[in-house]
């Protein structure tokens, strides 16, 4: 069943665990993500980043994707989530990650997303508040959850880039919640976008604790989000490099730190890089174990890109020859089917341990089965 993200985060907050939020960029990834959550009876929170919508809209050079690309891609992603999640026994939400402007958020909502993020954190504070509030007014009228961001995370993820971090001020976070009416807030407390978060990176749980305590004191009904939280499994990086990859300086956040902050007030933990690494490792492994596939008429182009870009680990770089599979899940022959299964296996391998460690396994029955229409009425009754 599809639900607004708020319903999933409410269960996480009450249950004192964190909900993993996982980025997807192809129909087969969505299928695998829903299936592994079903297996573990966990709620599922899937994310399509702003540029993922562009890619799923058919723009191979997704950094240059247009609003029309994003509209098409948002619908493709949401359609796939509905296909595998609408009749599922677990609650599933689809969330826009790092929406860059109002129009991107509208495109996601119109495409079928049940939650959106507006990332205006690079703007002056008052402008961030104003833009976030406008998105809240639009989305809440449709029952859609809204996530904002306050503070700046260092690192690179798609078109999100910053050299240094600016930590979130707890008192400012309270003001932001009050002025915008947003449901969730991504905070900066030491995590970092990308695969290189720094060796032995330490996150500042005291910032999380302070914000959550202020929220409780001021009766703020909202949720905290941890971006840039991939764990970057060392064994996957090693295996990927042994298969011809050239991934260097890859260090993630120690999962024990994420488990700790899950009990300190973080309700949602975003993970993207782990999936990218596992899928790219599986792609390389597929061609290494069966060299005949390297010259396949249908998937040989993927192998050529893997050889051309050994330093890359974003599967979108290698998926370009298979956009019909990516966008619509069409598998025209057995070679494409084998590649798609390898992708699915990588997604499941990356997600399963995090679902268990973050604590959402077995929690699906605790999520309220609320529709967007019902949630819209609740927002209206509450004046938000």
């Amino acid at each position: 069943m599809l639900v607004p993200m708020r319903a999933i985060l409410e269960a996480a907050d009450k249950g004192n665990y964190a909900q993993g939020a996982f980025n997807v960029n192809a129909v087969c990834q969505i299928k695998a993500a829903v299936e592994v959550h079903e297996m573990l009876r966990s709620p599922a929170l899937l994310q399509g980043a702003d540029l993922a919508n562009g890619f799923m809209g058919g723009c191979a050079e997704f950094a240059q994707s247009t609003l029309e690309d994003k509209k098409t891609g948002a619908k493709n992603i949401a359609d796939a989530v509905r296909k595998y999640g609408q009749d599922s026994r677990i609650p599933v939400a689809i969330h826009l990650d790092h929406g860059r402007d109002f129009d991107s958020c509208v495109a996601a909502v119109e495409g079928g997303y049940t939650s959106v993020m507006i990332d205006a954190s690079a703007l002056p504070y008052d402008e961030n508040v104003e833009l976030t509030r406008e998105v809240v007014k639009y989305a809440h009228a449709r029952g859609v959850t809204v996530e904002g961001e306050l503070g700046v995370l260092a690192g690179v993820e798609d078109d999100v880039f910053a050299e240094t971090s600016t930590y979130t001020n707890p008192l400012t976070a309270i003001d932001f919640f009050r002025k915008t009416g947003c449901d969730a807030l991504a905070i900066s407390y030491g995590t970092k976008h990308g695969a290189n978060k720094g060796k032995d990176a330490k996150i500042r749980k005291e910032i999380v604790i302070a914000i959550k305590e202020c929220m409780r004191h001021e009766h703020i009904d909202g949720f905290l989000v941890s971006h840039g939280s991939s764990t970057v499994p060392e064994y996957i990086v090693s295996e990927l490099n042994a298969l011809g990859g050239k991934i260097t300086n890859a260090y993630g956040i120690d999962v024990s730190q994420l488990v700790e902050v899950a009990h300190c007030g973080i309700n949602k933990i975003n993970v993207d890089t782990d999936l990218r690494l596992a899928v790219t490792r599986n792609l390389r492994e597929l061609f290494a174990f069966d060299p005949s596939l390297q010259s396949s008429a249908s998937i040989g182009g993927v192998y050529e890109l893997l050889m051309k870009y050994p330093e890359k680990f974003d599967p979108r770089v290698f998926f370009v020859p298979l956009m019909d599979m990516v966008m619509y899940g069409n598998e025209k022959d057995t070679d494409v089917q084998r590649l798609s299964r390898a992708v699915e296996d990588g997604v499941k391998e990356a997600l399963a341990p995090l679902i268990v460690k973050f604590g959402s396994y077995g929690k699906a029955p605790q999520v309220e089965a609320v529709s967007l229409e019902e949630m819209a009425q609740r927002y209206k009754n509450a004046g938000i």
Side-chain angles (χ1 to χ4, degrees), residues 17 25-26 45 73 88 98 101 107 131 139 146 151 180 196 204 214 217 220 223 227 254 279 293 305 350-351 357:
Y17 64 88
N25 299 285
L45 179 45
S88 175
H98 288 293
D101 50 40
L131 179 54
V146 178
T180 65
N196 183 9
R204 297 184 58 183
C214 287
H217 186 270
I220 301 294
F223 313 99
H227 280 236
D254 189 285
V279 168
L293 294 175
L305 291 171
L351 267 56
K357 290 174 181 177

Side-chain angles (χ1 to χ4, degrees), residues 39 74 108 128 216 221 227 241 266 271 278 336 373:
M39 181 182 72
N128 185 357
R216 291 182 179 126
D221 185 18
H227 280 236
N241 286 339
I266 290 293
V271 175
V336 177
E373 292 74 21

Side-chain angles (χ1 to χ4, degrees), residues 11-124:
D13 194 47
K14 291 176 183 176
N16 193 33
Y17 64 88
Q19 176 69 43
F22 304 109
N23 287 60
V24 290
N25 299 285
V27 170
C28 58
Q29 291 182 330
I30 293 168
K31 174 178 178 287
V34 171
E35 287 178 350
V36 72
H37 281 87
E38 286 177 330
M39 181 182 72
L40 295 170
R41 299 186 180 275
S42 167
L45 179 45
L46 309 185
Q47 301 191 142
D50 197 30
L51 293 187
N53 283 340
F55 183 69
M56 284 287 283
C59 182
E61 297 293 333
F62 49 88
Q64 282 76 51
S65 56
T66 66
L67 180 59
E68 290 306 311
D69 294 328
K70 294 174 184 179
K71 288 180 178 179
T72 301
K75 185 177 186 304
N76 286 340
I77 290 178
D79 283 351
V81 173
R82 275 192 294 270
K83 177 179 178 180
Y84 296 107
Q86 184 72 62
D87 297 323
S88 175
R89 64 182 180 275
I90 63 169
V92 181
I94 176 65
H95 175 71
L96 173 67
D97 190 25
H98 288 293
R100 302 306 298 171
D101 50 40
F102 185 83
D103 289 340
S104 293
C105 292
V106 171
V109 173
E110 290 182 345
Y113 278 56
T114 65
S115 178
V116 295
M117 177 194 186
I118 176 64
D119 181 2
S121 59
L123 297 177

Side-chain angles (χ1 to χ4, degrees), residues 307-350:
M307 295 302 101
K308 184 177 180 180
Y309 299 109
E311 76 285 359
K312 303 286 188 182
F313 60 89
D314 184 343
R316 287 174 294 185
V317 174
F318 315 116
F319 282 161
V320 173
L322 297 174
M323 293 304 290
D324 199 43
M325 179 201 80
V326 168
M327 296 168 64
Y328 306 112
N330 295 331
E331 301 174 359
K332 64 180 183 180
D333 59 32
T334 56
D335 288 353
V336 177
Q337 290 171 7
R338 289 181 63 184
L339 185 141
S340 185
R341 297 297 85 74
V343 171
E344 291 176 20
D345 289 345
V347 169
K348 292 178 179 179
E349 178 185 349

